[in-house]
Amino acid sequence: MSEDAPASEGERTVAFLLSLRARGVRDLALLRAMERVPRDRFAPARFADLARQDVSVPLPCGQTMTAPHTVANLLGALDMQPGARVLEVGTGSGYVSALLAAMGGEIVSLERYRSLALAAHERVSGSGFGGIVDLRHADGFQPDRTLGRFDRILVNGVTQAVPEALLARLSPGGRLVGALRIDGAARRVVVTHLEDGQFDHATGPALRLPPLVPGRSRAL
């Protein structure tokens, strides 16, 4: 192949994964999931050329696809285990939903914008995870109590405080990962539900994530 020939799908994937490893991503299960779930299939068509780069990508409704290294930071802290029941708040494009499913989780994902939820459902189903991901148009800050409890909760955005309604859905021994606004900066937070019923909060590095808004949007 000449030096000017376009890179193949496999070559682009390898370059994408190597760029993440260069930024410190070492979780093999996560890297395998990122290899299995092409990010460009979840990005809007006009931004597909950016999907294999470590940048955020615009979505409709003023939302964004989080940059891959930030996704890796959150999922690494989540400590995913095969068979874990996972609640995802803020579906967005559905890319992270598919990654969680590829890592062996049983996923319930809540998205406040109906149009995003519908588009994400199509993408997730088209990637072969439709039977694993229960994707709903709903207020992620107030999950339906009939959903029960979850081993892991992922909050894909920044909040001022961890919603009590989400803590109530976290099983003993479970873990919630998100981001809090602390002293003007968004920092990762990991909340562990201890066996004695208490919650341990541990803050981590600064992250670039959009704010999350409570409620279910009536807009398309």
Side-chain angles (χ1 to χ4, degrees), residues 78-100:
L78 197 63
D79 187 29
M80 270 294 296
Q81 301 295 322
R85 193 159 187 265
V86 184
L87 175 65
E88 180 189 24
V89 177
T91 309
S93 69
Y95 175 63
V96 176
S97 310
L99 289 178
L100 290 166

Side-chain angles (χ1 to χ4, degrees), residues 36-58:
R36 183 179 174 189
V37 182
R39 188 171 182 248
D40 52 308
R41 296 183 187 176
F42 290 82
R46 63 191 178 121
F47 297 115
D49 60 327
L50 298 176
R52 300 299 179 98
Q53 300 180 36
D54 194 14
V55 296
S56 59
V57 175

Side-chain angles (χ1 to χ4, degrees), residues 30 34 65-76 95-96 99:
L30 175 57
M34 287 183 156
M65 286 182 75
T66 302
H69 79 274
T70 302
V71 171
N73 188 306
L74 293 171
L75 294 188
Y95 175 63
V96 176
L99 289 178

Side-chain angles (χ1 to χ4, degrees), residues 143-154:
D144 192 325
R145 292 185 179 182
T146 63
L147 292 173
R149 291 192 172 189
F150 296 85
D151 305 304
R152 298 289 186 270
I153 297 177
L154 177 65

Side-chain angles (χ1 to χ4, degrees), residues 14-29:
V14 169
F16 173 67
L17 296 176
L18 287 175
S19 72
L20 292 175
R21 288 182 66 89
R23 297 205 61 167
V25 179
R26 296 288 185 268
D27 187 323
L28 293 180

Side-chain angles (χ1 to χ4, degrees), residues 36 80 83-88 97-109 121 124-125 127-135 150:
R36 183 179 174 189
M80 270 294 296
R85 193 159 187 265
V86 184
L87 175 65
E88 180 189 24
S97 310
L99 289 178
L100 290 166
M103 294 174 74
E106 176 188 336
I107 318 303
V108 176
S109 187
H121 182 270
V124 169
S125 296
S127 295
F129 299 108
I132 304 173
V133 178
D134 179 1
L135 205 160
F150 296 85

Side-chain angles (χ1 to χ4, degrees), residues 1-12:
M1 183 178 69
S2 70
E3 293 183 359
D4 295 329
S8 68
E9 175 79 9
E11 289 170 331
R12 290 195 299 271

